């Protein structure tokens, strides 16, 4: 397990224990990685973060165009594995959780424990003043710094 902020680790550890998830990625809505568990390659983390953030953004935009409010969480499960992708509010903005699970758990259990995980993260997070994001200039440097921190490089 690798986290950027130390306060993220206890709720993540509890979520992993309860849910039996195989892979977990916690990121901001822009795809900045906050924590990861189970990934072995930084390229996989980058790809999953980018795709997860893009899927949530496109799903929200589709819901807006359809005047459907919000579609909420996204889940897919086949005979061997399942994927759960869920946006959730934090003090600093929206975050996204991506969870991969197998036959040792179920979508319902992952969803239940993920809701508790999101609440515990919000409770543990330091409340900070929201600052302007300079995404265009600093995004790549911040992403690389986060990945180095997560993978110890």
């Amino acid at each position: 397990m690798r986290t950027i902020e130390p306060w993220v680790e206890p709720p993540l550890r509890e979520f992993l224990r309860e849910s039996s998830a195989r892979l977990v990625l916690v990121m901001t809505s822009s795809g900045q990685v906050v924590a990861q568990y189970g990934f072995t390659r930084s390229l996989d983390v980058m790809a999953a973060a980018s795709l997860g953030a893009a899927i949530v953004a496109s799903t929200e935009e589709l819901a807006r165009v359809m005047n459907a409010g919000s579609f909420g969480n996204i889940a897919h499960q086949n005979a061997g594995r399942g994927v759960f992708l869920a946006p959730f509010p934090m003090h600093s903005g929206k975050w996204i959780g991506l969870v991969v699970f197998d036959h040792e758990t179920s979508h319902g259990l992952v969803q239940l424990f993920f809701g508790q995980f999101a609440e515990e993260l919000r409770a543990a997070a330091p409340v900070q003043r929201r600052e302007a994001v300079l995404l265009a200039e600093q995004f790549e440097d911040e992403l690389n710094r986060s990945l180095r921190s997560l993978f110890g490089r």
Side-chain angles (χ1 to χ4, degrees):
M1 173 181 342
R2 310 252 179 178
T3 63
I4 297 295
E5 299 288 343
W7 54 267
V8 173
E9 191 169 331
L12 179 56
R13 192 171 302 284
E14 182 68 11
F15 172 70
L16 289 166
R17 187 186 66 74
E18 292 178 328
S19 71
S20 299
R22 297 294 172 218
L23 301 171
V24 176
L25 186 60
V26 179
M27 66 196 105
T28 65
S29 60
S30 64
Q32 179 185 10
V33 176
V34 177
Q36 70 91 9
Y37 168 80
F39 290 88
T40 56
R41 298 180 335 156
S42 60
L43 182 60
D44 295 338
V45 172
M46 289 180 1
S50 298
L51 290 170
I55 290 167
V56 168
S58 60
T59 301
E60 288 176 349
E61 183 61 18
L62 186 60
R64 188 193 67 75
V65 168
M66 295 172 58
N67 291 322
S70 172
F71 290 142
N73 302 333
I74 301 163
H76 175 75
Q77 189 168 4
N78 64 23
R81 294 251 163 127
V83 176
F84 178 75
L85 186 63
F88 60 98
M90 290 292 287
H91 304 299
S92 60
K94 180 175 45 183
W95 283 15
I96 300 167
L98 183 145
V99 180
V100 176
F101 57 96
D102 61 18
H103 63 277
E104 294 197 14
T105 192
S106 68
H107 169 253
L109 287 175
V110 168
Q111 186 172 9
L112 171 70
F113 293 128
F114 188 85
Q116 294 171 355
F117 169 62
E119 288 176 18
E120 290 173 12
L121 274 180
R122 269 191 302 280
V127 179
Q128 297 176 346
R129 189 171 53 92
R130 194 164 187 184
E131 297 177 18
V133 177
L134 299 175
L135 188 60
E137 292 179 30
Q138 299 174 350
F139 178 73
E140 187 174 352
D141 291 339
E142 186 66 30
L143 176 63
N144 288 330
R145 189 170 29 260
S146 295
L147 290 170
R148 281 192 302 276
S149 175
L150 283 170
F151 289 96
R153 293 182 187 159

